[in-house]
Amino acid sequence: MLLLVCAPAFAQETATLNLKDADIRVLIDTVSEVTGKNFVIDPRVKAKVTVVSSQPMNQNELYDVFLSILQVHGFAAIPTGDIIKIVPDVSAKQGPVPTASYKRPGRGDQLVTRVIAIQNVPAAQLVPILRPLIPQQGQLAAYQPSNTLIISDRAANVNRLIKIINRIDRPDQDEIEIIRLLHAPANEVARTLSTLTRKGAKGATVPGQPVVTADERTNSILVSGDKASRLRIRALVANLDTPLETGGDTQVVFLKYARAEELVEILTGVSKSNVAASKSAPGGKGKVPTSVSSRKDIDIRADEANNALVITAPPAVQQELKRVIAQLDIRRAQVLIEAIIAEVRLDLAQELGASLAVLGRNSDGDAVTPAVVTNLGGLTDIVLQAVAGTITSIPAGITLGGADLRPDKTNFGLLIKALAGDSATNILSTPTIVTLDNEEAELVIAQNVPFLTGSFTNTGAAQGAVNPFQTIERRDVGLTLKVKPQINEGSAIKLEIDQESSSLSGSSTGVDIVTNNRRIKTTVLADDGQVIVLGGLMDDTFTDTEQKVPLLGDIPILGHLFKSTSTNKVKTSLMVFIRPVILRDAATADAYTRQKYSYLRARQLDAGINDRGLIKDAAARLPDLDELITQLPDSGEGFVTQMPETTNSPNSETPQ
């Protein structure tokens, strides 16, 4: 049944719909006739329509009712140019659905597509919240790069969703507040608040719960969440950030690697600088917390027995000092330093000379005064002693001499000296030393040799007593190595080296103890494991000395009696090398220790010490390193077969 009532021609045409089980196509014809719109009906559009209306409706109202009837029966109207397609809802969203905007949002059950920009929250988080509010035929998607939502649905429902989004997309949801603490440590307060907020959630993040974190550098709490949650957190922080009743806080910090007495001076300076910086901050002393405004509140002491620090200071200062301690109390690397000192020396000497002395006579006929003397090659004293018959010393080499000592004759003496010297030296030293980074180490392997520095004779007043004595100075002759390594970034090592090597010389020309002294004092930079030359000497010295009597020394053959010749040749080759190796952990130190020990043990076995001497197997033999280390029992059931880690360190003492 269709009831259609028309108004007069001068007014807008109206209609009153009253339909009962009418075919939907009849309704479409009626709406087309009243509104003047053209419709294209999908063959799948079939339904019986019932509409009850008590008041006349104009064209717009009638079309809105028509759209509602289509929506109820699962159909939609898609405008395309001058026509409107009537299709099922399932196919509607693939058609040219109008795109709505803020100014033209659409009316009622009109099918529209709306693009909504989200300002404060991630659009993807809104999809699971809004999806249940959209019918199955609708469309909801999030585009993360621009943080937007795309919705295809009836205009009325889209407008409802926009109102919901506006209430959720609030700027106060992700607002961050910074709460400065004056007394309590920020990390402790943050841990307490995080435990309270997550209680009952079993560790999972609950949507909407506040996020609390600590900034230890500024001793502040950062809170993110809605306004009510932030207000509740601020109230809790105000109750927790209160000074202690004793007016200070004391903690004991046990150190792992650093020395407590060395850190006291550093930490005292750091705390003093922080207090001074706080007082000089912009705003004057009013911004300085009372807990750190006075140096009297801070006290740092070292317990050497336990290698610990006892710190009494406000919590904010304690946190700052703990951060400094954490950066200083670290395991320092060790440096193995191997030096090679190689020296080859050859000393050749040849001497040939003669000396003559003729003694005059006094009035009694005694030969006392030398009349003629030649001093060539230092033989004059010996010639005079020979003539006088009082020879007390004989020079090195072979000495041939002759003299006429008759009382009634002129006394004379002649000495001929010949000497050939050949001395060779081969020194190879390989000192090794291990030290901590930035710690000076010294290795001394030497003999304490006495040197005669003077000889004196005191004559006493009583009965002419004589008291002769000598002064002696003792000096170390051997090898001395001082080194201070500094590990730079990467594997480069700066080495401050003072290396000295001295030895007693077997010189062929010396009349007393001669020592060879080689010293290098320098600073070098080497990579880990690199062999670098510190210095060296290639010396070739040739000396030829000839002393003779003019004219007489030029006579062939006989001229050698009036001539002394000395030739000396010295060749020295000296080179010093050094190799630093970084030992960053116990495993590396243990590997180098075993390598050095095995090398020394192999050298002992190669020398065949046990096969020498009359008593066989008398010399001590280096055992295997695992046999040498004392093994510890484990729970009374046996012995530990592995060596404890501490005994692997090069600084550990090995029982002998």
Side-chain angles (χ1 to χ4, degrees):
M1 182 179 63
L2 173 61
L3 178 60
L4 179 60
V5 181
C6 296
F10 62 88
Q12 185 178 11
E13 187 175 0
T14 62
T16 301
L17 292 179
N18 285 289
L19 302 176
K20 182 177 182 182
D21 294 332
D23 190 277
I24 192 171
R25 293 177 181 269
V26 177
L27 175 63
I28 295 174
D29 293 339
T30 305
V31 174
S32 176
E33 182 180 353
V34 175
T35 60
K37 299 181 183 294
N38 302 320
F39 296 99
V40 176
I41 306 172
D42 189 284
R44 294 171 292 178
V45 177
K46 296 178 181 180
K48 296 296 183 179
V49 178
T50 299
V51 181
V52 178
S53 175
S54 60
Q55 295 180 356
M57 295 176 287
N58 57 30
Q59 295 179 358
N60 294 334
E61 293 174 349
L62 179 63
Y63 187 72
D64 290 341
V65 171
F66 174 66
L67 294 178
S68 299
I69 295 172
L70 293 179
Q71 188 269 333
V72 169
H73 290 83
F75 305 114
I78 308 300
T80 305
D82 294 335
I83 63 174
I84 300 175
K85 298 179 182 179
I86 308 298
V87 297
D89 278 342
V90 178
S91 304
K93 58 185 178 182
Q94 280 83 23
V97 179
T99 302
S101 62
Y102 175 75
K103 294 182 178 179
R104 302 181 63 182
R107 304 194 314 272
D109 290 327
Q110 182 184 4
L111 189 63
V112 296
T113 298
R114 186 80 175 263
V115 179
I116 305 171
I118 309 301
Q119 302 295 331
N120 303 290
V121 299
Q125 294 184 3
L126 296 178
V127 172
I129 300 175
L130 302 178
R131 185 64 204 177
L133 304 179
I134 296 178
Q136 184 177 1
Q137 295 80 8
Q139 177 67 22
L140 174 64
Y143 183 64
Q144 295 184 1
S146 60
N147 199 41
T148 56
L149 284 176
I150 302 174
I151 305 176
S152 291
D153 197 8
R154 311 291 174 175
N157 194 38
V158 172
N159 293 333
R160 179 174 71 96
L161 295 178
I162 291 176
K163 293 179 180 179
I164 296 174
I165 292 173
N166 291 335
R167 293 193 177 187
I168 297 177
D169 187 23
R170 300 287 298 276
D172 57 356
Q173 290 297 107
D174 286 339
E175 186 175 347
I176 299 176
E177 286 192 26
I178 300 176
I179 306 175
R180 295 291 300 270
L181 303 182
L182 301 180
H183 308 285
N187 57 345
E188 297 292 339
V189 174
R191 183 163 51 248
T192 302
L193 295 177
S194 298
T195 303
L196 291 175
T197 55
R198 294 182 181 180
K199 185 177 180 181
K202 298 183 180 180
T205 302
V206 178
Q209 78 173 28
V211 179
V212 181
T213 186
D215 180 21
E216 296 185 5
R217 188 180 65 86
T218 59
N219 197 41
S220 304
I221 296 293
L222 282 72
V223 184
S224 174
D226 56 45
K227 185 174 182 180
S229 299
R230 298 198 309 271
L231 184 61
R232 181 171 58 88
I233 294 296
R234 180 176 287 277
L236 292 174
V237 171
N239 291 328
L240 294 176
D241 186 28
T242 56
L244 299 177
E245 297 179 357
T246 57
D249 195 12
T250 301
Q251 292 190 16
V252 178
V253 180
F254 291 92
L255 304 179
K256 298 178 181 178
Y257 305 103
R259 297 181 59 185
E261 55 270 19
E262 294 178 355
L263 288 184
V264 168
E265 183 178 355
I266 298 176
L267 298 177
T268 302
V270 169
S271 60
K272 185 176 181 180
S273 300
N274 289 344
V275 172
S278 300
K279 290 183 177 181
S280 61
K285 296 184 178 181
K287 291 189 177 182
V288 180
T290 57
S291 56
V292 296
S293 60
S294 176
R295 183 70 183 86
K296 298 179 181 179
D297 298 335
I298 303 174
D299 182 63
I300 305 173
R301 299 181 183 273
D303 181 13
E304 298 183 10
N306 296 309
N307 194 36
L309 293 171
V310 182
I311 303 176
T312 301
V317 179
Q318 292 237 14
Q319 294 301 316
E320 181 69 23
L321 296 180
K322 284 184 177 180
R323 285 192 293 270
V324 175
I325 294 173
Q327 297 180 23
L328 295 178
D329 187 25
I330 60 176
R331 179 190 177 97
R332 288 192 291 172
Q334 300 181 101
V335 180
L336 170 67
I337 301 168
E338 300 173 298
I340 302 175
I341 305 169
E343 178 180 1
V344 178
R345 179 184 176 94
L346 179 65
D347 192 348
L348 301 177
Q350 297 283 345
E351 292 186 24
L352 178 62
S355 185
L356 174 67
V358 178
L359 298 182
R361 295 182 176 276
N362 55 16
S363 57
D364 297 333
D366 297 330
V368 293
T369 305
V372 179
V373 178
T374 60
N375 185 14
L376 303 175
L379 299 176
T380 302
D381 293 339
I382 300 176
V383 173
L384 294 177
Q385 292 175 7
V387 173
T390 59
I391 297 177
T392 59
S393 62
I394 299 176
I398 184 172
T399 305
L400 302 176
D404 185 359
L405 304 179
R406 291 175 296 177
D408 55 345
K409 301 294 183 179
T410 300
N411 298 142
F412 69 91
L414 175 66
L415 289 180
I416 299 175
K417 176 188 175 183
L419 173 65
D422 187 349
S423 176
T425 304
N426 183 20
I427 300 176
L428 178 63
S429 301
T430 57
T432 302
I433 192 171
V434 177
T435 182
L436 282 174
D437 180 26
N438 271 327
E439 292 290 340
E440 183 180 285
E442 181 178 6
L443 175 67
V444 179
I445 304 174
Q447 290 180 328
N448 196 255
V449 180
F451 290 87
L452 181 63
T453 58
S455 179
F456 303 92
T457 302
N458 292 336
T459 303
Q463 299 179 357
V466 178
N467 182 23
F469 67 93
Q470 296 176 331
T471 58
I472 295 177
E473 180 182 359
R474 291 186 173 272
R475 301 176 186 173
D476 288 335
V477 177
L479 178 67
T480 302
L481 176 62
K482 293 182 181 179
V483 61
K484 182 178 181 180
Q486 177 183 339
I487 301 176
N488 298 329
E489 184 177 0
S491 59
I493 307 172
K494 178 184 176 183
L495 299 170
E496 298 179 6
I497 302 170
D498 186 358
Q499 189 273 326
E500 181 178 359
S501 178
S502 58
S503 62
L504 299 178
S505 173
S507 175
S508 58
T509 58
V511 296
D512 200 353
I513 298 178
V514 178
T515 59
N516 301 320
N517 189 23
R518 285 81 63 190
R519 181 176 182 181
I520 294 178
K521 186 176 183 180
T522 182
T523 301
V524 298
L525 188 67
D527 289 334
D528 182 18
Q530 178 187 9
V531 179
I532 187 171
V533 60
L534 295 183
L537 172 67
M538 307 294 289
D539 188 19
D540 194 344
T541 304
F542 179 80
T543 305
D544 187 16
T545 304
E546 183 181 73
Q547 296 178 338
K548 64 181 180 178
V549 178
L551 300 179
L552 296 179
D554 297 330
I555 300 175
I557 301 175
L558 293 178
H560 289 286
L561 299 176
F562 303 96
K563 181 169 58 176
S564 176
T565 303
S566 174
T567 302
N568 190 24
K569 181 179 179 62
V570 179
K571 296 185 68 174
T572 303
S573 300
L574 171 66
M575 203 66 65
V576 180
F577 304 88
I578 199 164
R579 176 177 180 258
V581 177
I582 301 176
L583 308 178
R584 297 190 182 274
D585 49 35
T588 306
D590 179 61
Y592 275 93
T593 300
R594 290 179 178 273
Q595 180 181 355
K596 290 293 184 182
Y597 187 86
S598 299
Y599 173 78
L600 181 61
R601 185 169 182 266
R603 290 292 299 270
Q604 185 194 43
L605 296 177
D606 293 341
I609 299 297
N610 292 330
D611 298 333
R612 302 176 64 90
L614 299 177
I615 303 177
K616 299 300 181 181
D617 299 330
R621 178 183 62 86
L622 285 174
D624 187 81
L625 187 59
D626 290 332
E627 298 176 0
L628 183 65
I629 302 301
T630 303
Q631 297 179 348
L632 302 177
D634 56 344
S635 304
E637 299 179 356
F639 290 87
V640 178
T641 57
Q642 295 182 352
M643 184 170 53
E645 181 180 352
T646 54
T647 59
N648 292 339
S649 173
N651 296 330
S652 62
E653 296 184 357
T654 302
Q656 302 291 338

